[in-house]
């Protein structure tokens, strides 16, 4: 297909005529960019994929969201960002302290991986029932791609009464 000709891509959220549609029109590069933006797909993650591949992936996303909404009555909510990491070993925090702070007195800096998961691991630890734990998982699935988080989730689930 020539880049100069306009194309139209329609992605449906389900099989029914009443289901939501998303229609993209323009050149192939415009449609590609619009689909990535519309579905929140990172452009780096689709490097090397054809427009057809991207449409297939976007259709799968749309069908999944459509099924979740119609079958489970779910709604899309904004993901809460992780709270900002607290600075480690801040020399300004020691001002006003009567004793001088040395490097040996400071706590070891947490690894970036630990900082990234600190909030979610803390939230998992707070859950007191499997129902709370399952609800937290359902609302924060993006964190569970990390094996450390998933291991903590499973361990907590086993420790809670059914």
């Amino acid at each position: 297909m020539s880049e100069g000709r306009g194309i139209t891509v329609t992605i449906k959220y389900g099989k029914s005529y009443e289901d939501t549609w998303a229609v993209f029109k323009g050149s192939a590069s415009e449609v590609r960019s619009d689909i990535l933006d519309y579905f929140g797909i990172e452009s780096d993650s689709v490097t090397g994929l054809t427009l057809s591949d991207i449409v297939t992936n976007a259709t799968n996303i749309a069908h999944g969201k459509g099924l979740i909404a119609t079958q489970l009555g779910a709604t899309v909510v904004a993901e809460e960002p992780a709270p900002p990491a607290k600075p480690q070993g801040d020399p300004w925090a020691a001002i006003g302290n009567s004793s001088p702070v040395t490097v040996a007195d400071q706590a070891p800096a947490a690894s970036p991986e630990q900082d990234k998961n600190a909030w979610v691991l803390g939230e998992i630890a707070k859950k007191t029932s499997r129902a709370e734990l399952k609800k937290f998982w359902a609302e924060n699935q993006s964190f569970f791609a990390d094996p450390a988080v998933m291991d903590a989730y499973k361990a907590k689930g086993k420790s809670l009464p059914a």
Side-chain angles (χ1 to χ4, degrees):
M1 176 172 285
S2 169
E3 185 70 28
R5 290 187 286 179
I7 61 171
T8 301
V9 171
T10 302
I11 298 176
K12 293 183 67 180
Y13 283 73
K15 295 179 181 180
S16 170
Y17 183 80
E18 289 81 27
D19 287 325
T20 303
W21 300 23
V23 180
F24 306 91
K25 295 181 181 182
S27 68
S29 63
E30 290 170 334
V31 168
R32 178 185 182 98
S33 175
D34 289 346
I35 291 172
L36 295 178
D37 184 52
Y38 183 84
F39 285 96
I41 300 171
E42 295 291 329
S43 58
D44 292 345
S45 70
V46 295
T47 301
L49 296 182
T50 66
L51 178 56
S52 173
D53 297 335
I54 292 169
V55 169
T56 300
N57 291 346
T59 300
N60 287 337
I61 292 169
H63 285 179
K65 285 182 179 180
L67 284 172
I68 291 170
T70 59
Q71 299 300 312
L72 300 176
T75 57
V76 178
V77 295
E79 186 176 314
E80 292 182 30
K86 294 180 181 172
Q88 296 287 325
D90 184 0
W92 294 105
I95 293 179
N97 191 348
S98 59
S99 61
V101 175
T102 65
V103 174
D105 293 335
Q106 295 177 355
S111 71
E113 199 62 29
Q114 288 172 329
D115 285 344
K116 181 179 85 169
N117 294 330
W119 175 81
V120 71
L121 293 173
E123 290 299 309
I124 289 171
K126 291 179 188 176
K127 301 308 173 209
T128 58
S129 71
R130 286 187 181 174
E132 285 180 0
L133 191 61
K134 287 178 183 179
K135 182 179 179 190
F136 180 75
W137 173 81
E139 293 171 347
N140 298 281
Q141 288 187 11
S142 64
F143 290 104
F144 290 87
D146 186 310
V149 173
M150 193 54 146
D151 289 345
Y153 170 79
K154 288 177 183 177
K156 183 65 175 186
K158 287 178 184 177
S159 73
L160 294 171

